[in-house]
Amino acid sequence: MTGAIIEISQLTKQFKSKEVVHKADLKIVKGEIFGLIGQNGAGKSTLLKMIGGLMYPSSGEIHLFDHAVGENHAYFERMGLLIEDPGLFPHYSAYENLDLMAISYGLKDRSKHINELLKLVGLDGSNKTKVKNYSMGMKQRLGIAIALMGSPDVLILDEPINGLDPQGISEVRKLILELNKTGMTIIISSHILEELSKVATKYAILHHGEIIEINSKEELLLKCEVRIEVEVDKASLAIPILEEHLNINNYKVISDRTLYVYDTHVENHQITKVLVENGVSVQSIMKHKQSLEQYFLKRTRAEGDSHD
Ligand SMILES: Nc1ncnc2c1ncn2[C@@H]1O[C@H](COP(=O)(O)OP(=O)(O)OP(=O)(O)O)[C@@H](O)[C@H]1O
C-alpha cells in the first residue's frame, strides 16, 4: 500500500440491472478530509455505505488500515458513520440518546465518555434538553457524537450540512475542522462543492457512479482561480514589459510561451496593447474565471447525462 488507510479498487455496486457505483478507485490518507462531491443520485451514499461496511459491494476490493477487508469485518469497527438519519430518539435528551448507544457498545465508563463527547460536539450546555427541541444543527452534532462513540479512526459523514441553516452549517463545519485537528481522518460528501471546499483537503467528483476526477485542494483552486492566460512568442521577453508598463508583478510563467497574470488591476486589451507595441506578438489572451460550482457543473456536463 501507499500510506493510504483506506484504499478501494474497482468497487462496484449493482442493484438488479442498475449499476450505481462503477469501478471506483480511491486512496485516502490518514489525517485527510476527503470530500466526495456529486449531484443527487450520483452514488455518494452507496459508495460511503460500502466503505463504512453497511453494504456489500457487488465486486471490487476494500483495504482498510493496510488489510484487505474480505470477510473480516472487524476493520469496519474503526469507522464512525453518519449516513442518512442518525436515528435519534426525540423524547430523550442528548445524554440519554448517547447512553443508549454506549450501552449497545458495552462501554464501561459510560458517563465519562458521554460527557467528553457532549463537550467535543458543543452540546454539553444542552444535554438535558429533549432532542425534539434541538435545532437541525444540534441534531446533526449529536449524530456526529453518536458516530464518534466507538472512538473511530475514520469518520464518514454523508451530506452532514443538508437542510441546515447558515449557523448550523458553520457549527458543523467548525466541528469537522476541530476533529480533524485531533488527527481524525474524515470523509464527507456533499452536492455543493463550494461548501465542501471550506473543509476538504482532497476531492473526488462522483458522476453517475463513476469517479471522474480527484483533486488536491491546491489543484482545485488552480482550476478555479481568476487569472489572465497569455500566450506569446517568448514569455521571457513579455515579463519585463508587463512589469515596467503595467506594474504587473503577480504572475506565473507556465512555459516558454505561456504566462498567467493574477493582478486584477489590468484588462486583457491593456496587456495585448503594451506587448504588441513593444514587439512581442500575442497568440492568445483569455480571462479564466469560474466559481467552484461552475467548475463542478462544467466537469459533470462534460461527462454527459445519458448514463441512465
Ligand atoms: N437499495 C437500493 N436499491 C435500488 N436502488 C438504489 C438503492 N439505494 C440507492 N439506489 C439508487 O442508487 C442511485 C444512487 O443513490 P445514492 O443514494 O447512493 O446517491 P447519492 O449520490 O447519495 O444521492 P442523494 O444525495 O440523492 O442521496 C439512485 O438512483 C438510487 O435510487
Side-chain angles (χ1 to χ4, degrees), residues 73-170:
H73 276 214
Y75 298 111
F76 289 124
E77 286 168 17
R78 292 168 65 182
M79 322 282 265
L81 314 176
L82 178 54
I83 297 182
E84 292 165 359
D85 193 338
L88 303 173
F89 294 95
H91 297 285
Y92 286 7
S93 69
Y95 187 98
E96 289 162 340
N97 267 279
L98 285 168
D99 200 30
L100 284 174
M101 193 53 67
I103 292 167
S104 74
Y105 270 88
L107 294 187
K108 286 205 178 81
D109 204 351
R110 301 204 312 267
S111 156
K112 181 169 174 279
H113 192 49
I114 291 169
N115 284 321
E116 279 168 4
L117 281 175
L118 285 166
K119 190 153 187 266
L120 187 65
V121 301
L123 289 175
D124 43 337
S126 343
N127 63 350
K128 294 202 172 69
T129 311
K130 284 184 181 163
V131 164
K132 64 176 182 168
N133 297 320
Y134 270 18
S135 68
M136 287 291 284
M138 291 164 86
K139 283 183 192 158
Q140 200 63 316
R141 282 184 284 142
L142 179 54
I144 294 176
I146 289 174
L148 293 171
M149 179 60 80
S151 307
D153 295 301
V154 178
L155 184 62
I156 299 183
L157 304 173
D158 189 18
E159 300 257 10
I161 57 153
N162 233 6
L164 301 190
D165 62 13
Q167 187 182 336
I169 291 175
S170 135

Side-chain angles (χ1 to χ4, degrees), residues 14 34 75 78 114 120 140 145 160 215 244 275 287-288:
Q14 191 149 355
F34 194 96
Y75 298 111
R78 292 168 65 182
I114 291 169
L120 187 65
Q140 200 63 316
N215 288 303
E244 189 187 328
L275 288 178
K287 196 154 210 165
H288 177 279

Side-chain angles (χ1 to χ4, degrees), residues 1 17 25 33 59 89-90 102 113 126 148 150 165 168 184 191 203-204 213 221 226-227 250 266 284-285 296-297:
M1 292 246 313
S17 61
D25 292 325
I33 302 185
S59 59
F89 294 95
H113 192 49
S126 343
L148 293 171
D165 62 13
M184 183 166 291
H191 60 280
Y203 305 82
E213 191 170 303
L221 292 178
V226 180
R227 62 179 183 244
N250 191 2
V266 284
S284 71
I285 184 158
F296 173 49
L297 281 177

Side-chain angles (χ1 to χ4, degrees), residues 202-250:
K202 201 144 183 207
Y203 305 82
I205 300 181
L206 188 70
H207 186 55
H208 290 303
E210 288 187 44
I211 293 174
I212 57 169
E213 191 170 303
I214 298 177
N215 288 303
S216 67
K217 190 173 184 112
E218 294 71 28
E219 286 165 338
L220 188 67
L221 292 178
L222 198 67
K223 285 173 179 168
C224 299
E225 73 190 356
V226 180
R227 62 179 183 244
I228 300 173
E229 297 179 2
V230 193
E231 210 181 304
V232 289
D233 47 2
K234 209 159 195 273
S236 59
L237 293 179
I239 291 163
I241 299 167
L242 295 176
E243 283 177 341
E244 189 187 328
H245 295 269
L246 292 175
N247 200 22
I248 286 174
N249 40 41
N250 191 2

